[in-house]
């Protein structure tokens, strides 16, 4: 991992993308590394696209443009596909493999791209692309939303995001409400285990 | 994950949202009074003040609009209180009238105006540059670029405002309001300085004779403030060489990142303006004297560039100025900047050409979008469905600002024109005149509807009603009363039943206001009752003059969170067929989905409003398991 890392995160409103972003940024800060993070909300109603960023190692800007992300964390496969231009050549992807269909798809007005197509494109665009079933992992841990934390666990275990698995667990214990800690620590373990 | 912003001691480090950092800075600056009207990207600042207010020692209010917020705040500052007033950029348009005079009479207690601009129109109807307002009114400007600066500049803005007794603008942009970064806390003041109110009508009542005097006083103050800007630690020079860069706001972050990333830092001299107005002319002219060429980097309008070009001309400086006014590459007047974009401009400026751009993954064309949509169970969808049933497409719809603007999308298609917050009734009144003049051969013109939400009604819709009554306009107004300020995050307004801090003891009744304004033709319905809503619309459609339908049903998210209403039933498709298809097509509720050739309802998303079951008997309710 390079000293300065730019992480682009994307997901769907209501999935907990911003909670996961905030947690990872806190874990980075707890480690004593310079961090800045960004998010755009407002018109992002439930079901809209939510994009956020974490820039580690001394960046001042909270923005990531096309071709700048070292790491792309996609909490929904269609959004991973949509965000591929943000990845720098040779960057790394960790993504959920489980779809949250847009309304237009639910209503039969648009087609969701086949997962195989998403996987091929992601692999072609990146140095390495890893897919984990976020929704399933979250439910296994005990809460749908903790699927995002499982994905973060996987990214930590792969050494992509400046903090390791134990540091992420420490951040969960320190920053989440006590009743959420067990589920999310479990989610991290499940996310790590999903890689093998 | 909320940080304790009320920690009295300094020294702690927290990861804060820009808007939270502003709150901490105001606390460190000794804030005593806060008023606001919410609006993205400013909202988390007042919402944080509100959340903390039961445990804090300042007064807080959500005012009904930005003009009122600044008037209430202006009065508080005149009375001696250290005051913060927050709003989004277009809110300053609403507040412009008091602002232009407040700078004349001044603010003995100190007043900091947070103007949250929105380059790129992430959630706004324009991307106006409010640095112009600071110049128009005559007020100093701080422009932070990090969370730490947002905190520190808010604190320093208070200090400057109290010392100078002049209002100060803290001007942010969306990226600053919504970034997160580490913030080192300073201490909260142990005791807040008290400024006692003293009568002085020859200062505070700007009749012409006073205004002329205060105008001179303001001009004198601005020169004193310019001197402070010359010596401000927020205006700093770094680097060396014959090539200069002058920049401010979030663009500073892009410039600094690009200089490091591209390895150009040792080839330029950089002047960063954190306190950007009054323009520190000595600092800038000294800087310009050391370079042969200078590039001005700022988002949106060429505000600094215009002033710096004028300074170069006035002082006859021998320096070449590069910027957006001459169409320099990669420096448009629209949208946000970025590190990549600023980097390209820097490369052209320093090296004469852009660097080699890496090959990127092409964007995948035609992916299904996720446009902002009315929620499943939203009462606005039900109302708009009824409007379509009663009026069809042949109606002119004056829309307004709130969640209900999202009804613009088909099949609801419930917005035809829109100017600004609170414009629907007045703009609709005017439009009805032109539309009435364009009747067809049978003498029929389009009826005109105005849609306005409850918070927007209180914000600036009431004046439109009064005007329509007085001038006998022909308009059917629909107040979409969902009992909260839904779009910006459920802030209270005068009509709400309850708030985060208990029930509203002084609920203001919209129906009583409308009747009190002189409207006789008023109906109130629940939009979830389609028959009654459509019957009321039919009745009002046949009338002329000012007519008001109040469609009252709580926002479904607010009902769940604040009113603790949980859905008891869920809809299900009992029998497939064309009626169910038609319901899906016309209602477009996001809880519906296609399952092969069938239509189904996602019980997770369904809120049990049961509007669909009134459209077709083939959809029924069942108890939630």
């Amino acid at each position: 991992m390079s000293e300065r890392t730019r992480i682009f995160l994307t997901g769907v409103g209501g999935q907990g993308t911003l909670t996961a972003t905030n947690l990872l940024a806190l874990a980075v800060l707890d480690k004593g590394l310079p961090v800045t993070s960004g998010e755009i909300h407002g018109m992002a109603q439930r079901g809209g696209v939510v994009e956020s960023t974490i820039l580690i190692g001394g960046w001042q800007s909270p923005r990531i443009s096309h071709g700048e992300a070292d790491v792309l964390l996609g909490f929904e496969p269609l959004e991973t596909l949509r965000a591929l231009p943000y990845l720098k050549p040779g960057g790394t992807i960790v993504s959920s493999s489980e779809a949250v269909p847009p309304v237009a798809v639910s209503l039969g007005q648009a087609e969701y791209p086949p997962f195989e197509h998403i996987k091929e494109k992601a692999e072609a665009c990146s140095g390495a692309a890893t897919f984990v079933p976020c929704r399933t992992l979250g439910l296994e841990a005990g809460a749908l939303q903790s699927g995002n934390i499982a994905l973060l666990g996987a990214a930590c275990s792969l050494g992509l995001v400046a903090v390791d698995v134990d540091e992420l667990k420490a951040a969960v214990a320190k920053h989440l409400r006590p009743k959420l800690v067990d589920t999310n620590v479990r989610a991290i373990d499940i996310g790590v285990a999903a890689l093998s | 994950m909320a940080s304790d912003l009320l920690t009295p001691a300094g020294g702690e480090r927290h990861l804060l949202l820009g808007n939270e950092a502003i709150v901490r800075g105001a606390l460190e600056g000794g804030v005593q009074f806060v008023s606001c009207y919410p609006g993205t990207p400013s909202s988390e600042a007042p919402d944080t003040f509100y959340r903390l207010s039961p445990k804090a020692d300042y007064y807080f209010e959500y005012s009904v609009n930005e003009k009122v917020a600044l008037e209430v705040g202006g009065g508080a500052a005149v009375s001696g209180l250290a005051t913060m007033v927050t709003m989004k950029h277009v809110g300053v348009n609403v507040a412009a009238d008091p602002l232009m005079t407040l700078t004349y009479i001044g603010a003995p207690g100190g007043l900091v105006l947070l103007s949250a601009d929105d380059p790129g129109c992430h959630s706004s109807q324009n991307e106006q540059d409010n640095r112009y307002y600071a110049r128009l009114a005559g007020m100093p400007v701080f422009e932070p670029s990090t969370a730490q600066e947002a905190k520190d500049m808010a604190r320093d803005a208070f200090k400057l405002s109290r010392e100078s007794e002049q209002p100060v603008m803290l001007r942010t942009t969306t990226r600053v309001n919504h970034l997160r970064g580490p913030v080192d806390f300073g201490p909260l003041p142990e005791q807040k300085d008290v400024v006692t109110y003293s009568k002085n009508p020859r200062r505070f009542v700007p009749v012409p004779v006073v205004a002329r005097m205060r105008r001179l006083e303001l001009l004198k103050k601005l020169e004193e403030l310019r001197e402070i800007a010359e010596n401000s630690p927020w205006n700093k020079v770094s680097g060396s060489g014959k090539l200069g860069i002058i920049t401010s706001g979030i663009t500073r972050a892009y410039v600094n990142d690009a200089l490091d990333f591209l390895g150009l830092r040792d080839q330029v001299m950089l002047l960063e303006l954190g306190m950007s107005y009054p323009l520190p002319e000595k600092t800038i002219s000294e800087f310009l004297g050391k370079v042969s060429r200078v590039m001005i980097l700022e988002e949106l309008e060429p505000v600094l560039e215009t002033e710096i070009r004028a300074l170069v001309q006035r002082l006859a400086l021998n320096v070449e100025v590069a910027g957006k006014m001459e169409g320099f590459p990669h420096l448009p007047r629209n949208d946000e900047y970025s590190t990549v974009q600023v980097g390209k401009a820097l490369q052209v400026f320093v090296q004469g050409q852009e660097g080699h751009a890496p090959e990127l993954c092409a964007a995948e064309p035609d992916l299904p979008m996720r446009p902002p949509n009315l929620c499943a169970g939203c009462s606005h969808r039900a109302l708009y469905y009824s409007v379509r049933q009663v009026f069809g497409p042949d109606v002119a719809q004056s829309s307004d600002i709130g969640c209900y603007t999202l009804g613009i999308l088909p099949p609801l298609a419930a917005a035809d024109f829109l100017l600004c917050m609170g414009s629907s009734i007045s703009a609709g009144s005017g439009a009805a005149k032109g539309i009435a003049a364009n009747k067809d051969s049978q003498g029929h013109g389009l009826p005109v509807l105005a849609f306005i939400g409850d918070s927007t009604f209180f914000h600036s819709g009431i004046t439109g009603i009064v005007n329509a009554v007085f001038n006998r306009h022909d308009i059917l107004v629909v107040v979409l009363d969902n009992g909260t300020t839904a779009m910006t995050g459920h802030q209270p307004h005068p009509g709400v039943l309850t708030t985060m801090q208990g029930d509203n003891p002084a609920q203001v009744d919209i129906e009583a206001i409308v009747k009190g304004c002189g409207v006789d033709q008023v109906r109130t319905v629940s939009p979830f009752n389609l028959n009654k809503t459509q019957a009321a619309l039919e009745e009002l459609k046949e009338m002329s003059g000012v007519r008001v339908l109040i469609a009252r049903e709580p926002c479904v998210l607010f009902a769940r969170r604040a009113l603790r209403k949980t859905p008891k039933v869920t809809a299900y498709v009992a029998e497939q067929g064309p009626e169910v298809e038609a319901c899906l097509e016309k209602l477009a509720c996001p809880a519906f989905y296609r399952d092969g050739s069938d239509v189904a309802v996602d019980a997770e998303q369904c809120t049990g409003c049961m509007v669909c079951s009134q459209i077709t008997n083939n959809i029924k309710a069942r108890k939630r398991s």
Side-chain angles (χ1 to χ4, degrees), chain B residues 546-613:
Chain B
V546 182
R547 295 144 285 159
V548 176
L549 176 70
I550 300 169
R552 183 178 293 157
E553 188 63 48
C555 161
V556 61
L557 300 181
F558 185 69
R560 195 178 305 163
R561 283 176 203 158
L563 308 176
R564 306 269 171 221
K565 283 190 187 168
T566 48
K568 304 253 182 310
V569 296
T570 178
Y572 74 100
V573 178
E575 198 179 326
Q576 299 290 336
E579 284 186 37
V580 173
E581 283 285 330
C583 180
L584 178 146
E585 299 289 339
K586 288 183 183 170
L587 197 59
C589 174
F592 281 64
Y593 65 96
R594 279 186 201 277
D595 188 7
S597 59
D598 286 356
V599 173
V601 177
D602 178 357
E604 280 297 311
Q605 290 211 50
C606 176
T607 64
C609 72
M610 299 320 298
V611 166
C612 52
S613 69

Side-chain angles (χ1 to χ4, degrees), chain A residues 121-142:
Chain A
K121 281 288 237 181
E123 282 165 355
C125 274
S126 67
T130 306
F131 286 86
V132 293
C134 255
R135 211 180 150 93
T136 305
L137 299 182
L139 289 173
E140 194 183 328

Side-chain angles (χ1 to χ4, degrees), chain A residues 22 35-37 39 41 43 60-61 63 65 67-68 76 79 82 100 106-107 111 117 121 125 175, chain B residues 1 44 175 178-180 182 254 257 336-338 340 359-361 364 368-370 372 487 593-594:
Chain A
N22 200 7
V35 63
T36 178
S37 167
E39 57 200 59
H41 26 147
M43 292 292 271
Q60 281 186 34
S61 156
R63 280 198 82 178
S65 300
E68 287 192 323
E76 202 282 338
E79 296 319 314
R82 204 192 306 278
V100 179
S106 304
L107 298 182
E111 289 221 9
H117 172 75
K121 281 288 237 181
C125 274
H175 300 291
Chain B
M1 283 187 274
E44 297 85 0
R175 294 288 169 181
H178 288 169
L179 59 74
R180 281 179 203 275
Y254 305 141
D257 283 353
E336 295 184 287
Y337 284 2
S338 66
V340 167
E359 192 123 334
L360 305 180
C361 289
E364 180 98 353
M369 303 298 285
R370 300 182 194 267
M487 187 64 141
Y593 65 96
R594 279 186 201 277

Side-chain angles (χ1 to χ4, degrees), chain B residues 33 35 68-78 81 83-85 102 110-111:
Chain B
F33 189 101
S35 57
V68 172
L70 188 58
E71 289 162 351
V72 170
V78 165
L81 296 173
T83 300
M84 177 164 245
V85 185
L102 191 61
L111 185 139

